Amino acid sequence: MTSCNSANPKEDLSKEVQSVSSWAATAQMVTNAWLKSNVPKKYAQQTLNKAQTEFLSEKKKISQIKSSTNVIQQHQSLIVTNISQLATQTEKMSKAIAQNNHSQVQQQLKVLEIEVQKINQLKTMP
């Protein structure tokens, strides 16, 4: 059963946002570990690429959730925009890691952390 068929769009949205939040935390952890030379470059890249794939998948699922209220639809729209930003950031971080560009990775990580704060705030449904 897909999330868009559920009778409770608010619960579906909450569940998908929780998944996004978990992947965002994973991206943060692996990036921090790479910056400290605690994980290999390939592992960090693979994890970030997987996170990006999951973000895009969740974005699609969230876009398909049918909501009857404008408030939830607006909230849904904000979440989708935020997930797009998370996907973009993880891609940029993966590319910077591929180039061993620590300063670029650190900059991208700061942006990712801001997006993570936003998604965590969006976890609270209207």
Side-chain angles (χ1 to χ4, degrees):
M1 180 168 104
T2 61
S3 59
C4 56
N5 291 334
S6 173
N8 193 336
K10 205 169 172 178
E11 273 184 27
D12 292 340
L13 199 51
S14 183
K15 184 184 87 169
E16 302 304 338
V17 171
Q18 183 57 50
S19 177
V20 169
S21 183
S22 294
W23 276 105
T26 299
Q28 283 179 291
M29 285 188 289
V30 76
T31 302
N32 277 316
W34 180 80
L35 285 167
K36 295 174 185 170
S37 300
N38 290 336
V39 297
K41 174 168 69 172
K42 184 128 182 97
Y43 176 80
Q45 287 179 278
Q46 287 173 339
T47 304
L48 289 171
N49 291 339
K50 176 66 175 166
Q52 181 187 16
T53 300
E54 292 299 321
F55 290 145
L56 296 174
S57 171
E58 292 296 333
K59 178 181 161 185
K60 184 178 179 185
K61 287 179 192 174
I62 289 170
S63 296
Q64 293 173 345
I65 294 172
K66 305 286 186 250
S67 174
S68 57
T69 69
N70 284 340
V71 174
I72 293 178
Q73 288 170 354
Q74 289 173 339
H75 195 75
Q76 196 172 347
S77 179
L78 288 171
I79 291 168
V80 167
T81 300
N82 182 252
I83 294 171
S84 293
Q85 293 296 325
L86 288 167
T88 298
Q89 281 312 115
T90 52
E91 180 182 20
K92 288 179 180 178
M93 288 165 41
S94 179
K95 288 179 179 177
I97 287 173
Q99 299 166 353
N100 283 319
N101 188 337
H102 281 73
S103 63
Q104 183 69 28
V105 172
Q106 287 172 326
Q107 289 174 353
Q108 297 301 334
L109 182 59
K110 286 178 185 167
V111 175
L112 180 77
E113 288 168 351
I114 292 167
E115 295 304 322
V116 169
Q117 287 175 355
K118 288 180 191 174
I119 199 72
N120 286 334
Q121 290 170 349
L122 289 170
K123 274 196 242 181
T124 308
M125 295 293 132

